[in-house]
Amino acid sequence: MRTSAPTTLPRRTGRRVAALLPAALLPAALLGLALETGASAAPRLPLPAPPPPPPAVPAPRTTGGSDQGSYHQGDRIVINGQSQQALWRWLGPLGSRPRELWLPLEVLQNQLGVSSRSRPDGSLDLEWFGRPLLVPPNRQRSLDDEVALDALPLLEAVGVGLQPSERSLSLTLPEARLLGVRSAAQPAAQRVVLDLAAPALVRSSGSALVLNLDARPDQLAQLTSLGLVVSRDPAGLALRPRSGPVSRMFTLGEPNRVVIDIPGGGATTGPSAEPGPIDPAVQALIGRTLRWDRLTRQGVRINAVRMDPRTAPLQLRPLVRPGGMEGLNSLVQLAAQTNARVAINGGYFNRVRRLPLGALKLDGRWMSGPILNRGVAAWSGRELPRFGRLRLEEWVAGPDGRRFPIVVSNSGYVQRGISLYTAAWGPSYRALSGSETALVVEADGQVSRGFGSLELERGVPLGAGQTLLVGRGGVQLPWPSGSRLQLTSRPSDPLGQELQVIGGGPLLLQNGRIALNGSAENFSASFLRQGAPRTVLGSDGREVWLITLEGTTDSGPTLSQTAQLLLQLGLRDALNLDGGSSTGLVLGGSHQVKGRGVAGSVHNGVGLVP
């Protein structure tokens, strides 16, 4: 049995936190600030009261209001004739130009090809065919469970046609002429540049990119010679790498260009939006080692893959992209990178900053710390996962013995106080808020140097064995170079001692009973009420279950409905993971479930790996 006694650390690869967060998918600059240290012996940093939850997209009056107060909201977006499930809000009368048009950031990035980069203050730099748009934190809002922004200036700058109806919003651009194709070798990739006569819509469809382009036969042959499989799609030209997924795509302006980086190695699925074939090796396991249940209950479509990890040739693993904590992938890419035969999306993340928001522990190393006492699943080796809520109580003590709480560790969750980062975060750290300061603590606990806010904004290296202490919100780090510090860490539950941990929330089932308690994990009431596609990791006491749930006629089940359905299926323990457009199931390389009909980007996952 594992003990929960405190561990004294001169240095470690990760430390954990507890605090208060209103909405899991919103930018870090919008998140609340509050801290439970779990001890009273140390001095408390003066923390302000948490702000109210981030505002939803403004909804003045009703659809029948005055011209200045009317709005309309729908749940489908049609891009050059191809429909997908996504919320949108049109402020102003439908018969004229809107004052604002709020779209999910996921749609802009993955379905239109908009490039984005976050700033330390939480602002978002968008660019589409050379047209820039700066979105400050107070203009990033919640549209149900998605981060949304007013995209009207960017759409109008590129010339996108807008046509709203009762439920659907149609986005159109005339077909652009392909002027030329160029290529250049990049490190571990081949770069293909498409020169266009005008901007074009660029939409992700499975592993392919679909562009509304007019190309000559000789240009199509040139694309094929560069390693792209070319086919016709109802919305235009579908391009996919002959091997491996597209590693990067972005647009440039003056002249208009689409840039595609193609990596080498690995197989991929075809350009169709339908799921590709399941790998025969995985198909052979279904019905023997793996059970794949597909059923519909109470208007909810359920996909569940389950196995006994104690006897199966596969084992349950958190799925983490290589190269550090900053960045997103499609679930198909993540499964391929981690050799997962089966994969579901994992915990929450900040879509603006592309950083994790919750517990992620891999092989005993905290890649990202738990936050807000939220639910986790934890296990070691081939045992069944155990479920509960987790926080880490962590402290730093100086030569005088005074202790200060570490409020977050290796996390995209931004709070006032002292935060901690290690090489598990990645090769470098870049400031996540304004006016940060930092100290480097070596493996022996000695402070070796400090960094100011300008250096942190540019980025500083995270060396092996080093710990970076970051002061945020005006909190000063009182230790000069040469000081010797002591770091301590204590999990609130023995779950924190396991080798593998994945965080999410809320906890749905525990020991055969419904355990849903949103307030205990600091989820907002509106989050608990809304229906959405769901991803769940669970256990019935004999097998581990990887589950997705989707509505057949509506947006999806609420968390309460999800818990009831899982209990009826015989599960004893279950943890809700990220959902909405993140929900996905990849089985043998085939993307079987896409939460809102499209392949959304995710930060991490959970999978079955040889």
Side-chain angles (χ1 to χ4, degrees), residues 178 181 213-232 237-239 242:
L178 179 60
V181 179
L213 292 182
D214 176 26
R216 302 188 309 268
D218 63 303
Q219 293 171 329
L220 299 181
Q222 187 178 3
L223 290 169
T224 300
S225 70
L226 293 174
L228 289 166
V229 177
V230 183
S231 60
R232 289 290 177 183
L237 200 65
L239 307 176
R242 187 174 294 119

Side-chain angles (χ1 to χ4, degrees), residues 67 115 165 272 289 355 377 475 481 538 596:
D67 283 358
S115 300
S165 62
S272 170
T289 296
L355 295 173
V475 171
S481 294
R596 291 197 166 115

Side-chain angles (χ1 to χ4, degrees), residues 50 94 138 342 372 435:
L94 289 182
N138 62 0
V342 181
L372 310 174
S435 302

Side-chain angles (χ1 to χ4, degrees), residues 327-412:
L328 306 178
N329 284 112
S330 73
L331 188 58
V332 171
Q333 290 173 323
L334 185 61
Q337 291 167 347
T338 54
N339 199 29
R341 302 298 191 258
V342 181
I344 55 174
N345 62 288
Y348 298 107
F349 59 96
N350 183 317
R351 191 172 293 282
V352 172
R353 296 185 182 274
R354 300 178 299 168
L355 295 173
L357 295 172
L360 187 58
K361 190 179 187 183
L362 180 65
D363 295 335
R365 190 183 191 199
W366 283 109
M367 315 300 289
S368 174
I371 60 173
L372 310 174
N373 196 40
R374 287 193 167 164
V376 301
W379 66 98
S380 296
R382 294 184 174 276
E383 65 189 25
L384 286 169
R386 297 185 296 122
F387 297 78
R389 299 183 179 96
L390 181 66
R391 65 181 184 274
L392 290 187
E393 298 162 353
E394 299 184 305
W395 311 85
V396 55
D400 60 1
R402 288 198 307 155
R403 296 196 308 163
F404 295 84
I406 295 171
V407 296
V408 293
S409 301
N410 281 356
S411 179

Side-chain angles (χ1 to χ4, degrees), residues 460-480:
V460 299
L462 290 171
Q466 292 180 331
T467 296
L468 186 73
L469 297 178
V470 178
R472 292 183 177 137
V475 171
Q476 299 299 312
L477 303 174
W479 306 288

